[in-house]
Amino acid sequence: MRVLALASICGLAVGAVVVALLLNRPAVFAAQNSLIARPAAATADNPDAAGQFGEVVALGLPALPDLAVSSTILEAAARAVPDGPPADELASQVEMTLVPGAGVAKLTVRASDPDQAGRLATALVGALVATDFLQPAARLEVLDPEPQVVRVDTSIPTVGGIGLVTAVVVGAAAYAALRRIRPPGTDVHEVHTAMSRAGRPTVAILDGKDPALVDRLCALQRAGGLPLRIITIGPGQTDKSDALRAAVSGRGVQLSGMPNSATNSAPTSVVAVFDARSTRPDELTAVAAALPERSKMLAVVLT
């Protein structure tokens, strides 16, 4: 549970940072307008204008995306919108796409201000129409009188979804990493199984961090009536065993004279301080099985 809680905190922290960064980004607005190619009127100089329309549009319209970001068009738009970006910066904010077989091209301009985005789109389509590059067989017309402006940066629900997904992914990765760094160790079920294999199935399993641990051990010893012997199973448990021994002794509990000998022949109530993270259950089984028959396995304290 501690590993799960820590991994959850990591995931939530990273998710919150991602949400904060996305929400603090400047707003982005896109202005869209379309151009449509129409046949030019027949003239005395070009009586077959209508017949040439399809060929001219098929060959000329694919050049429109490149023409839209040419220096001539961008500079004309920059002059028409003085508070807008310069021509070299505007190029990265302009996108032109063609509708296949329809003679229609859609222009999109992005800016941080909706009014500026609309004025830039109007200036760009006006500059493209002014080129008359499809003449004499066709001409470009603006499809909509006013560009459509929409906000295109990440919405709040989307930001929340991204943050949630990030939190889950980071939390899962942190949980896996923490489990690899710190394995889960022996659980209560495995302790019961180890005691059953040793022929001592009746044993109390106590949490080493329980503030009432000493009281519980004293109550168990008095109920059993035998001197208490506290032994260690696993590395780094000696200090914990000594502290428990001193605590129960201060409560008047009778202690065995040989606390660390698993083969002490005198009958005792044995408490095993067991390192559940670095010690395998079979070590607990071996120690419990080696105890004298007259001794009682009173409790296993998990640390």
Side-chain angles (χ1 to χ4, degrees), residues 65-93:
D66 292 330
L67 184 61
V69 294
S70 65
S71 59
T72 301
I73 299 298
L74 295 175
E75 288 172 1
R79 288 192 300 268
V81 186
D83 60 338
D88 54 347
E89 294 182 13
L90 182 58
S92 61
Q93 300 170 217

Side-chain angles (χ1 to χ4, degrees), residues 125 173 291:
V125 294
L291 293 173

Side-chain angles (χ1 to χ4, degrees), residues 47-108:
D48 194 27
Q52 298 173 352
F53 172 77
E55 181 181 359
V56 170
V57 170
L59 295 176
L61 211 59
L64 200 56
D66 292 330
L67 184 61
V69 294
S70 65
S71 59
T72 301
I73 299 298
L74 295 175
E75 288 172 1
R79 288 192 300 268
V81 186
D83 60 338
D88 54 347
E89 294 182 13
L90 182 58
S92 61
Q93 300 170 217
V94 176
E95 181 182 3
M96 176 71 77
T97 57
L98 302 178
V99 179
V104 175
K106 180 183 290 185
L107 175 77
T108 302

Side-chain angles (χ1 to χ4, degrees), residues 87-165:
D88 54 347
E89 294 182 13
L90 182 58
S92 61
Q93 300 170 217
V94 176
E95 181 182 3
M96 176 71 77
T97 57
L98 302 178
V99 179
V104 175
K106 180 183 290 185
L107 175 77
T108 302
V109 184
R110 289 177 171 82
S112 58
D113 178 76
D115 179 66
Q116 184 183 95
R119 287 185 289 121
L120 285 170
T122 300
L124 283 166
V125 294
L128 289 169
V129 169
T131 60
D132 282 336
F133 78 104
L134 295 179
Q135 289 291 344
R139 67 183 188 278
L140 286 176
E141 292 183 1
V142 179
L143 196 59
D144 301 313
E146 295 292 336
Q148 179 184 8
V149 182
V150 294
R151 185 167 180 170
V152 294
D153 58 320
T154 309
S155 63
I156 291 179
T158 302
V159 168
I162 293 173
L164 179 61
V165 171

